[in-house]
Amino acid sequence: MQKQTLIGPFSQVVTMANLPLKGALKDDQLQVIPEGGILIKDTIIEAIGNFTELQEKYKTAEVIPLKGKHVCLPGFIDAHTHICFGGTRANDYAMRNAGKTYLEIAKAGGGIWGTVTQTRKATQEELTKNTIKRANRHLKNGVTTIEVKSGYGLSIAEELKMLYAIEDANNASLSDLIPTCLAAHMLPKDYEGSEEEYLEEISTQLFPLLKEKNLTNRIDAFIEESAFSKEQIAPYFKKAKDLGFDITVHADQFSTSGSQTAIDNNAVSADHLEASTEKEITLLAKSNVISIALPGASLGLGYAFTPARKILDAGGALAIASDHNPGSAPMGDLLTQAFILGAFEKLTNAEVLAGITHRAAASLNLEDRGQLAKGFLADMSVFHTNNYNEILYNQGNLKPCMVWKNGTLVYDKHK
Ligand code: NIG
Ligand code: FE
């Protein structure tokens, strides 16, 4: 028989189980187990409940005793990042805050293209190393699953280099990295052809390679005036869906039409949505597309937050992600950003926590995580407090003291 491990007692285990995927949540909908214990077998949660009762029932389990106050939550899930990149955009940031326009910054060698240039200069090994470093920082902040996009390569060879780097980083890091191909981030400046020709080339030549080499099952596109239109992307997404890829969209960041694109293409998520109006909010709420708010991008650009309250009140599903990238969201601190969105948008703690656990898992089509319940992965973030409300009350300043990934203690502040 495999070894069983019982951890506890926790002052509270907040399971995030049995919550609806869509709509507003009240804090009293959260399942909170006082004096809780979690029984792990291998990588999976075998049982969860009162610690003393579990100890009596599973007498042979090895006990990992906890002293003092501890609150346990599922490991957090960051469903939208761009943490595989070369270089920095500190100069862009300074220029933007000094009042320079998007065009002036682009002319000075900045913007997305600035990162493409720097990422192309980096070797695959350097990209892997950078990605692992950033993923490990997220892990210490309780994030055990991180979606990572390509999109700074923008040619077949360079997109492949990024996706191989993400694969290598996933193999070498303690967290799970979920890769996404964002070759449709912008028309590369050195491409001699139209948007349509670029998208055709990527979808006919790169997509089959992604499948063959099992590099990703997700395709993303930036729908915006500066990138690709709803009409241009339609054949690209059709091709992707025909090959079995999941679709996700950078939608409604500055202008609307991305959310409609996401709905039309049955996307798993529409991310950003800072510019969404009542019309888009209503359409999204009626659909199966999960809305992902990216407060880190609003903070980086000094721009409006995603209308998260309205999305939830309309009955939509809302996840929250960091968008960690070198340009618009350099901070990369999911919990801090989720707290900020909650404070400005008046979200309940249940809505914020669901946005980085259970609802974030759904946005990545991952059914094995985001909740603490029998059969789920033993991914846990543990905080040194006796009340889960203290976590968001501390505004991102209370960091986990322990993090478990796949049943293994991967971070222990005391050590
Ligand atoms: O999600 N909106 C487009 N793409 C990224 C930003 C990328 C960059 O500026 O490098 C985003 O915010
Ligand atoms: Fe993004």
Side-chain angles (χ1 to χ4, degrees):
M1 206 178 91
Q2 269 170 325
K3 194 184 79 178
Q4 292 175 323
T5 308
L6 175 63
I7 313 165
F10 296 98
S11 317
Q12 295 179 329
V13 176
V14 185
T15 68
M16 304 309 294
N18 306 317
L19 291 169
L21 179 61
K22 295 176 79 173
L25 293 172
K26 297 264 182 277
D27 285 343
D28 61 13
Q29 286 176 265
L30 291 179
Q31 182 188 40
V32 181
I33 304 173
E35 295 306 307
I38 299 181
L39 185 84
I40 294 172
K41 192 158 107 186
D42 196 15
T43 58
I44 304 291
I45 296 173
E46 173 88 355
I48 192 158
N50 175 273
F51 178 77
T52 314
E53 284 172 21
L54 287 174
Q55 212 175 9
E56 278 161 16
K57 190 163 167 200
Y58 298 92
K59 289 201 169 57
T60 56
E62 180 200 350
V63 176
I64 299 186
L66 296 179
K67 289 198 180 70
K69 41 193 189 173
H70 292 96
V71 169
C72 183
L73 284 161
F76 301 137
I77 297 164
D78 194 341
H80 180 138
T81 83
H82 309 246
I83 60 169
C84 180
F85 63 84
T88 169
R89 299 246 292 281
N91 290 343
D92 283 26
Y93 194 83
M95 283 177 79
R96 192 162 51 241
N97 288 349
K100 301 287 184 220
T101 62
Y102 178 84
L103 229 73
E104 288 169 319
I105 294 172
K107 271 201 188 131
I112 294 173
W113 189 249
T115 297
V116 173
T117 313
Q118 299 181 78
T119 303
R120 284 180 178 181
K121 277 191 197 138
T123 63
Q124 186 182 313
E125 291 68 30
E126 285 164 346
L127 292 177
T128 301
K129 219 170 101 192
N130 289 345
T131 307
I132 294 171
K133 206 165 85 192
R134 294 179 191 120
N136 286 344
R137 188 157 65 75
H138 283 265
L139 190 74
K140 279 189 184 177
N141 290 340
V143 181
T144 47
T145 300
I146 311 170
E147 187 260 13
V148 187
K149 300 177 194 296
S150 64
Y152 294 127
L154 305 190
S155 71
I156 291 168
E158 291 292 331
E159 284 292 304
L160 282 173
K161 182 178 88 183
M162 286 196 73
L163 287 159
Y164 278 124
I166 297 167
E167 182 178 68
D168 291 345
N170 181 41
N171 291 335
S173 80
L174 298 163
S175 35
D176 284 334
L177 306 185
I178 309 294
T180 303
C181 176
L182 178 57
H185 202 178
M186 65 181 278
L187 180 67
K189 289 194 177 177
D190 59 353
Y191 187 78
E192 289 168 5
S194 64
E195 277 86 354
E196 287 79 0
E197 286 164 335
Y198 173 69
L199 293 173
E200 165 79 10
E201 188 176 309
I202 295 290
S203 61
T204 53
Q205 295 180 37
L206 181 61
F207 285 3
L209 288 176
L210 300 180
K211 278 279 156 201
E212 187 191 310
K213 299 182 186 303
N214 203 16
L215 283 169
T216 178
N217 59 15
R218 293 166 45 86
I219 301 292
D220 193 351
F222 188 18
I223 305 302
E224 194 52 64
E225 283 154 16
S226 62
F228 299 99
S229 71
K230 182 166 166 270
E231 292 71 28
Q232 285 166 343
I233 217 69
Y236 185 78
F237 276 164
K238 181 173 182 320
K239 186 84 190 227
K241 282 188 296 180
D242 287 348
L243 288 169
F245 289 103
D246 281 346
I247 303 293
T248 176
V249 183
H250 276 71
D252 298 3
Q253 186 178 13
F254 304 110
S255 60
T256 53
S257 86
S259 49
Q260 186 64 57
T261 310
I263 294 165
D264 292 347
N265 289 285
N266 211 1
V268 284
S269 73
D271 309 21
H272 274 294
L273 309 174
E274 295 90 335
S276 299
T277 68
E278 301 289 342
K279 181 178 152 213
E280 288 77 33
I281 291 169
T282 310
L283 287 171
L284 281 167
K286 280 194 200 137
S287 76
N288 291 324
V289 179
I290 298 184
S291 301
I292 305 191
L294 305 172
S298 303
L299 292 168
L301 297 174
Y303 190 63
F305 287 110
T306 303
R309 181 71 269 149
K310 287 187 178 166
I311 290 170
L312 288 163
D313 287 345
L318 182 89
I320 305 168
S322 75
D323 197 18
H324 190 186
N325 74 68
S328 57
M331 182 205 283
D333 184 336
L334 179 63
L335 190 60
T336 301
Q337 293 167 3
F339 131 71
I340 291 170
L341 184 75
F344 278 88
E345 280 291 309
K346 295 286 168 277
L347 307 182
T348 64
N349 282 352
E351 288 165 339
V352 173
L353 295 174
I356 57 175
T357 56
H358 157 236
R359 290 175 168 181
S363 79
L364 295 174
N365 255 336
L366 297 173
E367 291 173 356
D368 59 354
R369 64 196 78 187
Q371 305 178 35
L372 298 175
K374 183 177 162 59
F376 280 75
L377 286 179
D379 292 356
M380 288 117 62
S381 298
V382 179
F383 292 84
H384 194 52
T385 175
N386 58 6
N387 174 1
Y388 76 88
N389 280 332
E390 292 281 346
I391 298 169
L392 293 171
Y393 169 68
N394 272 274
Q395 304 185 312
N397 206 20
L398 182 65
K399 304 287 185 200
C401 59
M402 285 184 283
V403 179
W404 299 74
K405 176 72 191 116
N406 294 336
T408 301
L409 182 63
V410 290
Y411 172 64
D412 186 351
K413 195 177 152 194
H414 313 291
K415 284 188 179 152

